[in-house]
Amino acid sequence: MPENDIAIDRSRNTLHITRGYAASVERAWWAWTDAETIAKWWGPRGWAATVYEMDVRPGGRWRFEIAPADGTVAPVRGIVTYGRVEPLTTLTYDDAFADESWLPDGTGTFPTTVAFTTAGTGCRVEVRAAFPDGDALQRAVEAQMADGYAEALDRLDDIPPTDQGDTPMNTCTSPDGTTIAYKKTGAGP
């Protein structure tokens, strides 16, 4: 599959999106698993995401809401339940749309796999969402889910590296000759 691609496979009822990034796998993984960071890029352009809960571990949940910044349509709520969490390689989860009470809205769940691989000096992220049947896939297509996913993944590329704390570490040498690397946080000495 090419570096940046969207494929809708009606024979398997899947949506498959691939994106290449100049960023490392570590940075991409962090952007998918840090609540504050994913809120900056999750959803299509012009939409804002709010994360209410994010517990990235097998059986953990992620509750989020995306809504257009201009308020022209109602928010979309999602509940994710994580399956496999293999740091820096794979996330699997069941995704479901939710109502205002955070209960599944009855449209079913769609198992999703996100794979992270090193590609040259950057990385590749592949998202594969499976739908229970052709009707569910068609609803996703009509809701422009593929385009929204693609725009979100494009927005991921806009997150500045410094958001992850990619700034150089400070170092000092202790009296016994050990070099200590640290990051200063806060305003203390």
Side-chain angles (χ1 to χ4, degrees):
M1 183 167 269
E3 199 62 28
N4 292 319
D5 193 31
I6 300 173
I8 297 169
D9 184 342
R10 293 183 189 280
S11 68
R12 292 189 175 110
N13 297 322
T14 60
L15 169 63
H16 188 195
I17 302 171
T18 303
R19 284 289 180 270
Y21 298 101
S24 67
V25 166
E26 292 82 1
R27 185 167 170 270
W29 175 266
W30 160 79
W32 274 84
T33 57
D34 179 78
E36 185 177 322
T37 304
I38 203 167
K40 293 178 183 177
W41 65 268
W42 189 252
R45 291 196 188 280
W47 288 56
T50 303
V51 175
Y52 294 96
E53 173 184 12
M54 189 173 216
D55 183 9
V56 184
R57 64 180 172 81
R61 288 190 340 163
W62 169 31
R63 290 184 310 125
F64 65 88
E65 176 180 275
I66 58 173
D70 63 9
T72 54
V73 297
V76 176
R77 291 174 189 82
I79 303 171
V80 164
T81 303
Y82 291 100
R84 283 187 7 238
V85 177
E86 298 172 11
L88 306 179
T89 60
T90 307
L91 287 172
T92 68
Y93 54 82
D94 288 331
D95 199 347
F97 293 109
D99 62 20
E100 290 180 6
S101 300
W102 292 103
L103 298 172
D105 70 358
T107 57
T109 61
F110 46 99
T112 302
T113 300
V114 184
F116 303 81
T117 55
T118 299
T121 58
C123 74
R124 179 176 160 149
V125 176
E126 293 184 57
V127 179
R128 182 181 303 272
F131 296 86
D133 55 39
D135 290 339
L137 175 61
Q138 185 59 35
R139 282 191 302 273
V141 169
E142 289 170 1
Q144 299 180 332
M145 186 175 181
D147 297 330
Y149 243 129
E151 286 183 27
L153 292 173
D154 289 345
R155 289 177 64 194
L156 171 60
D157 217 13
D158 297 339
I159 303 295
T162 54
D163 278 6
Q164 186 186 359
D166 286 345
T167 55
M169 298 281 281
N170 295 311
T171 59
C172 66
T173 303
S174 69
D176 69 358
T178 303
T179 300
I180 301 168
Y182 67 95
K183 288 186 182 180
K184 183 177 177 181
T185 60

